[in-house]
Structures are given as C-alpha cells and as structure tokens.
Amino acid sequence: MLALAALTVVFFALPLVGLLWRAPWSRAAQYLTDDDALQALRLSLVCSLWATLLSVLFGVPLAWLLARVQFPGRSLVRSLCTLSMVLPPVVGGVALLFALGRKGIVGQWLYRWFDYQLPFTTAAVVVAQTFVAMPFLVITVEAALRQTDDATDDAARTLGAGPWYTFRRVTLPEIRPALIAGAVLSWARALGEFGATITFAGNFPGTTQTMPLAVYLARETNPEQSIVLALLMIVISFSVLVALRDRWFTTAGRQR
Amino acid sequence: MSARAHISCTLGALALDIDLSVGDGEVVALLGPNGAGKTTVLRCLAGLQAIDAGVIEIGGEVVDAPERSLFVPTMRRRVGIAFQHYALFPSLTVLENVAFGLRATGTPRDEARRVASEWLERMRLSDQASARPTALSGGQAQRVALARALAPGPRLLLLDEPLAALDATTRATVRRELTDHLASYAGPTVMVTHDPIDAAIAQRVVVLDAGRVEQEGTLDEILARPRSRYVADLAGANLVRGTVTGGVLTTADGARVVIADAPDGAAWALIHPHSLTLSMQSTSTTSARNSWPGVVAGMHRVGDRVRVQIDGHLPLAAEVTAASAADLGLVTGSAVVVTVKATDIEVYPA
Amino acid sequence: MRRPELTPIIAMLALAACAACTTGTTGTNEADVADDADVADHTGQPDRITGEIVVFAASSLTEAFTAMAESFRAEHPDAEVVFNFASSSDLVGQIDEGAPADVFAAAADEPMTRLTTAGFTATDPVVIARNTLAIIVAEGNPLGITTLADLATDDLVVIVCAIEAPCGQGAAQVLDKAGVTLTPRSYEQNAKSVVTKVTAGEADAGIVFASDVRAAANAASGVTIPAEVNVTNNYPIAVTSSARNSAGARAFIDFVLSAAGRAILTEYGLLTP
C-alpha cells in the first residue's frame, strides 16, 4: 500500500519536476513581466473568479434541488447538469456555439433583438468556464446537502422559519466546508479551462486570451515562455489549494 | 388553547386513523410498538406531513382540513417539537439555537437573546450558552431541544421519544426534570414513547398499534387491564384472548382456561407470571383448576426471581424464585406442568 | 537530452500481435513466413515493402493523406501506413522528444528547417505540394465578399489563425502585401477552428488555406485571393533520422511524388509542383 501510494505521489510530482527542470530560470523574470503575459494572467483571474461566483450563485440552488426535492427524472437532470465534466471541452465549446452563438438556438435571438454576439467577448470566456466548472461545485454541495440532517430543516420550520431563513441560518453554515471546497474546485477548473474557451470564445489578447490559451500558443513559437507561464499558473493554483485545503479539511473534520 | 385532531392518512403500509384530543396543561403519551404510527401523528400535528382526511385543530384554529382544502404550513402553526435526536443546529451556539424561533419570527435580536438566556437559566444551561451543540452531553442537549421548542411560546408541544437517546443514569434525572418543565407549560403536550416508565410522565396514555388507538387511559389503568399483547408485554403479564362460555375461556387455538366467573362472550384473560405454579411431570393434586403440560423454552433471571418461558398448547411466562427453580432442577427442555388457580386469572370483556 | 525509446516497444507489440494472429490461424508454417518478412524488412529489400510506416503529417494534409494511404496500400498490401496528424510545430516537438516517426510532412518550410537543423531528418526535404490562402465565407457567400479589402470593416466578424500557426503567418503576410489592416475578433489556434467558426455562422469570414476551404466545400464557400498578394506555402516531406522502417518511409514518399499521389493532392485542393 505504502509503496503504491508513494508511486502515486511520484506520478503527480514528476510532471511538475519536468517543468521545473526545463524552465529557463535566467529569463523567467523577463517572460513573467511581459505585457501580454500579465494581460492574460489578469484576464484569467478575473474570468475564473466570475465563473466561480456564477457557479456558486446558480450551482447551490441546483444542488439544493437535486438533493432535497423529489421529482421525476431527477437523476436525468443530475446527469445532464454534470455532463460537461465528462464532455471533451472542445465539444462543449462547439455545443455552446450552437446554443449561444450568433446562429445558435438562443443566441440568434440575442443577435436579432439586441444585436449582441456572445462569442469573442470576455463574457463568453466566463460562460465557457462556468459551463465546465459548475458541476464540480454542484456535486460537492449536493453530497453535503444529502449528509445534513433533514430533522434540522424540520426543526427550523416548526420554529417558524421560512425556507430562505432556514437555508441561510441552518443549511448554509452546515454545508460551508463543502461549499468552499466546491468553489475552489470550480475555480481551479475554470482557471485551467482551455478547450471550451478557445472554441466558444476564441482567442484575442486582452479580451478572450486567458493564460492556458497563451501558454498553448506560446508553446509553438516560444516554448520557454510557455513553460514559465505554465509554472506561474501552477504556483497560483497550488498556493490557493494549499491555503484552503487545510481550512476546509479541518472544518469538514470537525463537522462530523 | 388545547388541541384536537382526527387524523387519517396512509403512508406506505401504515394506514393511520386516530382521534386525539389534548387539553391545556395536559400531557398525553402516545405509546406503541415501532411502526405503530406514533411519530407520524406528531408529524401530522406539526404539519410536516399532510393528512388525507380528518381535521386538526390547534388552539381553536383549524390547521389541516383536506376536505376544506385548508392547510396551515408548519412555519405558521406555532407548534414546538423536541426531536428524538434533538436536531439541534450544529453551526449555531446553544443560545442561538434557543433564540432561533424568536429570531425567525421577527423578534429583535437583543430581545430574542434575552428570552433565550432566561430559558437557559431555567434549564440550568447558562454555562453552555456559547457552546456548540456537539459539545453537550445527552441530557444537556435534550434540555436545549426543549428550551428551543418552548422559547417561542408554542400552542402545542410535541416530544418525540424525549428520553430514548439517553443512558440509564441520566434518564432518571432528565425524566424528573422533564416532568417539572412540562408542569410549568400551560399548553397541551403530546409525547411519543415506547417505554411505559417514560409514559408515566403523562396524565393520559394512548396506546397505538398499526395506526389505530388500541387503548386509552391512565398508565395504571392500561397496565392493569392490557388490551394488546404489546401492553401485556410492557406489564410483564400473560394475556390470553378467547371466548367465554360457562366459566371457560377458549382461545382461537383451542386451549381451555377455567376462570372464576365472567359473562359469556369475547374476553381477555390476564395471568400474572407469579401466580403460575410449576411442578415436574407428576400427578400431585392441587386446588388449582388449570393444569397444563409444557416444556421450558427459555429462562432468564430477573433480580432474585427467574422468568421461565414455557411452550405448550398455551404459551406462558411464569415467574418463580431462584431457589425453587434450583430445587425443581429447571433447565431448558424440562417437561413441566403449569398450574394456576381460576381465581388468580383476571378476566375482562374484549 | 534523454530520449525515451518508445519505438522498440511499439515494434515489439506490433510483432507480437502479428505473430499471434498468424500462428493463431494457420500454425507454425505461417509463423515462419512472418519471420522471413521481418528479416526482409530490416535488410530493406526495395521491391517488397512491409510493416508499419509511421507518418507524422500536418493536419491540413489529413484528408489528402488518408486517401493517399488507401491507394498506397493497393500497391503495397504488406505495409500499413499509420498517421499522426497535428500542427506542424507540435509534430516537430514530438519528434524532438523521441516520438517514433518514419516520415515527417510539414505544412510550411519553417518547421521542417527546424527539424533538419536539429539533425532529425535522414533525407533532404522534398516539396510535395503547395498551398495558397483563400478567404472562407458562409456557404454561397451571402455577404458578397470579393476582396481582402472587404474584410476591413467593423461590421464583419473576421477571424484569422494565430500568428503561431502557419495559416496565421500566411494571413499576416497576405494582408501586409495587400495593404489591408484589419482587426480580427479572434486569433484561432489553427485553420480547422477558423473553418468551424465560419461554418457555424459565428464568424463572417476567415483566412485559411485553399485546401481547408476545399475540405469544407459543402458547408462554406471560398473567395480566391489574387496571386500577386497571395503567398504560397510549401509542404516539404522527409524521412526522419530515427526511422525504423526507412524502406517503407522512402516508398511512401515516392508514392506521394508519383503521378497517382499528385492527383490525390490536387483533388484535395493542394497545388503540386
């Protein structure tokens, strides 16, 4: 067991070591302060935070629906809403084009009535990221909601609390660790999102070119820079994971 | 205020159909085996479960009447529940738990906290005000649950197995305290329990079985004249149902029990285990009118006595002293003769 | 630089599979024949081409080369052509990291030069085809786009390839030559994704290779860019220095350069030298 576990750690650590090994350390600072890189980084952070916010805003009610409300076809709805986790991201991007693009099911009306074309905008990046990232929040929060005691909900109702008050004061605090974990997972997924973004939103510096896109394209012309940018993303994600992991694991541990 | 209910609803295999009324300051215990529908009654009263037919009236207000399409949701019923496993809010402090009902219904924060503090003081829990529910002992949690239910001033108090989750030692203490707290509550209380000792808290006991009321009365009345195997078991007595004709009660299985005197018709016969006499297979004559052969199916000690389960045409439990059990050399499998005097059998109409 | 030796492993697996199927069906005699074939492969007998030929080719050659493999197989039934299609620079990177390629075909001179300079080619690169750029528009050209200058309006959603991709470099040169300045809405990762967005109706026009327009013929239309401003892209091909099946590699290249091969390339919208 221990040997296998150790091997697994190596499996995860090795690619990182590979990047570190190939990184052009002497020129790293120059690549990192490059305007285009900073622009992509800023866009990535802004978009991924928006995607996380939207995931929480819309994902929590969805998780609540899936966990608490009995309705026919519930497992079908659940599968549908988490499909984008298993869908190849590029396929997801194409599907989004067909739905929200200028000729899409809904997009054509947006275009016709409001002269609004979602693709090629920063909003499209947020939509693509939310599409692939939200399921991570939904399944985490749904699992937590299922674990909470139904009796506490009943108790709140008998004490005169409405559904919203109950959710805010009782349910939400109970699922907070899972909510944080789900939000972090979603954020990490959004930050690393590539396929759906480039397919749905395109690639234009400052508007839709996020870090993963910049890393991918730089890889062709400037492999050194792409390694440095990739490492930067890893550092950001890693530090957030480390910082939050401790917190959510301890609170989650205390809960049960 | 008082509460009256005719509840009729079907939930899976359970068809619940009962009449229940509880006066102000009265405590009614719902007693019955698992699955009898006790908790469902509470849920119907609280509005956590809608009834299919009937009427529920709490404090003079009709809160559920399906025939009139009337249903007052839980949050507006002003019914307090202390749940079996307390269902305290884990992320709130003890004080916040108790203040919850007041806050939820719009009482300003400071006022709610003041009232909650008073309740904690009455429940001798002031020290725990800022503790989390997980840090409480079972007895403390039970008191918090009760305080939380009572603080908003409910029109009806419901207790679901209030003492079941406690260990034997705390249980006696908490039972005494609970009796005191209930005495100071002016409204009606319905308590669900499966333990006759806990049911003693109540002024009136309603025995439920399979969704119907089996028996109703004070605990003593009920235990003295059980009308179900369940209650007889609680009383530790043998209960035989049969038909009386000319001083003999015949069971459905055809076993005959000679009784002192009782009118003809369907009847219950209650035979206390200590009134049974056991002897080894022999023909010694006694004044006892009833004498049945049987085989010892099991024995267990209860204090200085031994309870002997006897299989035979009429299965019975007998209670003998440990000494006589030893004298007789009783073991599982022993063939015995059970005798009982007709005058020791209490018979009442079914 | 350490290079993982994947080639022998793959060769062994292929051999094992082959041996298994022959012995499994008809017995030892057939297995001997398989062994002989293997020997022939290694000694490089010119008239009998056998085994797997691994071809790394630019993605714009996907359709043409897939058709090519079928015709090639008709001439060399004992050989099997296996493709790895990706962007030319991706392929250079993979070969550089030790991927087992026998043949490399690029969509531009530059990636091939990079590989040659690094000493990964065994033969001199030969140009098998040329490609020019074209404007791709919605089917039937509903907006009536006829020139590059038509693209330089904010009313149109125009997309091009990223400068990192061959079609992006080409587009930059063409626009420069034509003196047209336009701000595309997106720099797509490759020609195929430009095609996808134009056929999906998301973009009004894009600049891609003529062969890409040809491949999307039933969903999009093309507008020719005049030769005086157009650029021509070379498609060079070479045997790699790490080739396991050099005989097969040479035979494949010969076939591509043959009349039959040229006909296939032309059919798929490429110009042949």
Side-chain angles (χ1 to χ4, degrees):
Chain A
M1 279 304 271
L2 201 62
L4 278 177
L7 192 69
T8 312
V9 173
V10 170
F11 173 69
F12 284 115
L14 214 53
L16 181 62
V17 173
L19 275 177
L20 290 170
W21 177 52
R22 284 287 183 82
W25 294 108
S26 52
R27 292 177 298 279
Q30 169 203 331
Y31 289 130
L32 285 178
T33 49
D34 179 63
D35 278 350
D36 287 350
L38 288 178
Q39 198 177 36
L41 178 63
R42 208 186 57 227
L43 190 71
S44 262
L45 291 177
V46 169
C47 289
S48 60
L49 287 173
W50 268 106
T52 309
L53 187 73
L54 291 176
S55 295
V56 170
L57 232 52
F58 292 94
V60 170
L62 175 62
W64 176 83
L65 180 81
L66 293 174
R68 291 291 171 84
V69 184
Q70 292 273 1
F71 60 93
R74 177 165 67 170
S75 58
L76 209 69
V77 172
R78 180 186 299 111
S79 309
L80 183 76
C81 295
T82 47
L83 189 68
S84 67
M85 275 175 89
V86 290
L87 208 63
V90 176
V91 177
V94 172
L96 281 174
L97 272 185
F98 292 154
L100 301 173
R102 201 167 61 165
K103 294 270 174 69
I105 309 166
V106 171
Q108 57 176 317
W109 302 106
L110 284 179
Y111 187 66
R112 222 173 276 180
W113 292 339
F114 307 107
D115 196 26
Y116 184 73
Q117 184 181 14
L118 185 58
F120 309 122
T121 63
T122 305
V125 177
V126 176
V127 169
Q129 290 182 347
T130 309
F131 182 70
V132 295
M134 199 190 313
F136 289 87
L137 181 119
V138 173
I139 54 168
T140 317
V141 172
E142 191 201 339
L145 280 172
R146 283 180 178 283
Q147 282 201 338
T148 58
D149 192 357
D150 282 351
T152 54
D153 263 29
D154 289 346
R157 285 162 69 194
T158 62
L159 291 165
W164 175 239
Y165 190 81
T166 306
F167 184 76
R168 198 164 56 80
R169 297 259 351 246
V170 178
T171 316
L172 206 57
E174 274 188 76
I175 61 162
R176 202 182 55 187
L179 184 62
I180 295 172
V184 170
L185 283 176
S186 295
W187 172 77
R189 181 66 187 86
L191 190 72
E193 170 30 287
F194 171 79
T197 308
I198 201 164
T199 313
F200 179 59
N203 168 54
F204 194 88
T207 312
T208 57
Q209 189 181 74
T210 56
M211 272 302 252
L213 273 56
V215 170
Y216 178 79
L217 291 166
R219 194 186 46 106
E220 312 223 351
T221 44
N222 193 343
E224 285 195 344
Q225 180 170 25
S226 94
I227 293 170
V228 173
L229 296 184
L231 277 174
L232 177 62
M233 284 196 66
I234 289 174
V235 167
I236 294 170
S237 313
F238 197 67
S239 32
V240 171
L241 286 177
V242 168
L244 286 173
R245 208 155 244 273
D246 268 354
R247 207 177 129 67
W248 96 57
F249 272 151
T250 45
T251 45
R254 204 180 57 197
Q255 198 187 26
R256 289 285 143 190
Chain B
M1 290 192 278
S2 81
R4 291 191 302 137
H6 174 83
I7 295 172
S8 177
C9 66
T10 311
L11 277 174
L14 175 73
L16 190 68
D17 190 358
I18 69 155
D19 271 305
L20 186 71
S21 69
V22 193
D24 285 342
E26 189 187 19
V27 180
V28 168
L30 295 180
L31 188 66
N34 287 336
K38 306 181 302 265
T39 299
T40 307
V41 172
L42 288 199
R43 293 183 65 81
C44 289
L45 290 171
L48 297 169
Q49 165 77 48
I51 60 176
D52 297 336
V55 174
I56 299 176
E57 192 184 309
I58 298 170
E61 185 198 359
V62 175
V63 293
D64 198 347
E67 282 88 355
R68 284 189 266 155
S69 305
L70 196 150
F71 181 81
V72 176
T74 303
M75 63 173 286
R76 287 203 299 274
R77 283 201 186 183
R78 292 181 50 210
V79 168
I81 300 196
F83 287 85
Q84 180 172 9
H85 299 288
Y86 318 127
L88 299 176
F89 307 129
S91 46
L92 302 183
T93 63
V94 164
L95 185 73
E96 287 164 344
N97 262 278
V98 177
F100 187 92
L102 292 161
R103 293 284 290 125
T105 47
T107 308
R109 185 189 164 89
D110 288 348
E111 169 70 4
R113 286 178 156 255
R114 194 186 56 74
V115 175
S117 300
E118 284 172 16
W119 274 101
L120 289 183
E121 209 167 307
R122 277 169 77 173
M123 300 279 177
R124 295 180 295 104
L125 282 165
S126 298
D127 293 351
Q128 310 290 335
S130 53
R132 300 273 162 184
T134 42
L136 300 177
S137 71
Q140 290 172 330
Q142 207 276 337
R143 273 157 27 218
V144 174
L146 188 64
R148 185 180 68 174
L150 288 171
R155 297 186 294 182
L156 169 66
L157 179 65
L158 306 173
L159 307 174
D160 191 0
E161 300 277 8
L163 304 166
L166 300 172
D167 60 62
T169 336
T170 13
R171 208 160 161 163
T173 323
V174 176
R175 188 183 299 121
R176 203 173 55 243
E177 289 173 348
L178 182 60
T179 313
D180 294 346
H181 292 307
L182 291 180
S184 58
Y185 171 62
T189 301
V190 178
M191 174 174 87
V192 156
T193 181
H194 63 264
D195 185 333
I197 305 177
D198 295 344
I201 296 172
Q203 283 103 49
R204 193 151 52 87
V205 176
V206 173
V207 179
L208 282 191
D209 192 26
R212 292 178 182 276
V213 177
E214 283 267 349
Q215 210 174 347
E216 201 169 338
T218 66
L219 184 64
D220 289 346
E221 284 166 6
I222 281 167
L223 291 180
R225 295 203 151 185
R227 308 186 77 85
S228 63
R229 173 59 66 83
Y230 172 74
V231 177
D233 284 347
L234 291 180
N238 297 297
L239 185 68
V240 182
R241 189 179 173 147
T243 313
V244 178
T245 18
V248 176
L249 180 136
T250 312
T251 68
D253 288 344
R256 288 162 55 83
V257 183
V258 179
I259 53 177
D261 71 310
D264 286 3
W268 295 103
L270 187 71
I271 308 169
H272 284 288
H274 54 78
S275 57
L276 292 173
T277 316
L278 297 185
S279 53
M280 299 313 277
Q281 196 87 32
S282 72
T283 50
S284 61
T285 45
T286 67
S287 62
R289 300 288 309 276
N290 293 299
S291 177
W292 305 291
V295 175
V296 175
M299 298 167 57
H300 66 268
R301 254 191 109 115
V302 184
D304 63 342
R305 304 179 73 83
V306 177
R307 205 174 163 90
V308 186
Q309 211 64 44
I310 296 146
D311 264 1
H313 202 176
L314 193 65
L316 291 166
E319 218 169 87
V320 295
T321 59
S324 58
D327 286 351
L328 286 167
L330 284 183
V331 291
T332 303
S334 299
V336 289
V337 172
V338 190
T339 50
V340 62
K341 290 185 189 171
T343 49
D344 283 348
I345 301 173
E346 197 182 336
V347 181
Y348 44 91
Chain C
M1 191 184 298
R2 208 179 144 265
R3 295 170 49 193
E5 290 291 329
L6 279 178
T7 327
I9 299 168
I10 290 172
M12 272 166 63
L13 284 174
L15 207 64
C18 184
C21 69
T22 48
T23 51
T25 49
T26 45
T28 45
N29 209 20
E30 289 293 317
D32 288 341
V33 175
D35 280 349
D36 289 343
D38 191 41
V39 171
D41 184 11
H42 280 262
T43 50
Q45 262 178 24
D47 53 347
R48 187 119 187 266
I49 302 306
T50 59
E52 207 170 62
I53 306 163
V54 182
V55 176
F56 278 33
S59 24
S60 50
L61 289 170
T62 307
E63 291 82 8
F65 266 28
T66 307
M68 194 78 71
E70 270 176 42
S71 307
F72 180 78
R73 199 187 168 82
E75 269 183 38
H76 304 280
D78 294 334
E80 197 189 347
V81 183
V82 177
F83 289 112
N84 174 22
F85 294 112
S87 85
S88 304
S89 13
D90 272 355
L91 295 173
V92 171
Q94 288 171 13
I95 295 171
D96 186 53
E97 296 288 342
D102 294 320
V103 176
F104 174 57
D109 285 323
E110 188 272 336
M112 182 61 87
T113 312
R114 248 194 291 162
L115 206 66
T116 310
T117 315
F120 282 107
T121 47
T123 58
D124 285 336
V126 189
V127 173
I128 52 164
R130 295 182 210 283
N131 212 346
T132 56
L133 292 167
I135 302 172
I136 184 167
V137 293
E139 199 183 2
N141 196 2
L143 296 170
I145 293 161
T146 52
T147 64
L148 282 170
D150 289 348
L151 303 180
T153 157
D154 282 349
D155 295 344
L156 289 187
V157 179
V158 180
I159 55 175
V160 296
C161 292
I163 198 73
E164 288 83 355
C167 52
Q169 281 174 4
Q173 288 170 24
V174 166
L175 290 169
D176 189 43
K177 277 203 212 170
V180 173
T181 313
L182 63 83
T183 312
R185 295 287 275 277
S186 176
Y187 293 101
E188 296 292 315
Q189 56 178 326
N190 54 41
K192 298 268 183 247
S193 65
V194 172
V195 173
T196 303
K197 286 200 172 70
V198 171
T199 52
E202 212 51 58
D204 296 314
I207 300 174
V208 290
F209 289 116
S211 63
D212 296 315
V213 179
R214 181 69 165 247
N218 43 9
S221 296
V223 175
T224 313
I225 296 172
E228 58 270 23
V229 295
N230 211 332
V231 292
T232 308
N233 234 56
N234 286 336
Y235 280 71
I237 197 167
V239 178
T240 65
S241 56
S242 60
R244 292 272 144 178
N245 189 354
S246 346
R250 282 199 192 89
F252 183 76
I253 293 175
D254 287 346
F255 185 79
V256 174
L257 291 169
S258 71
R262 288 222 295 259
I264 293 170
L265 292 170
T266 314
E267 190 187 331
Y268 284 91
L270 293 158
L271 307 173
T272 48

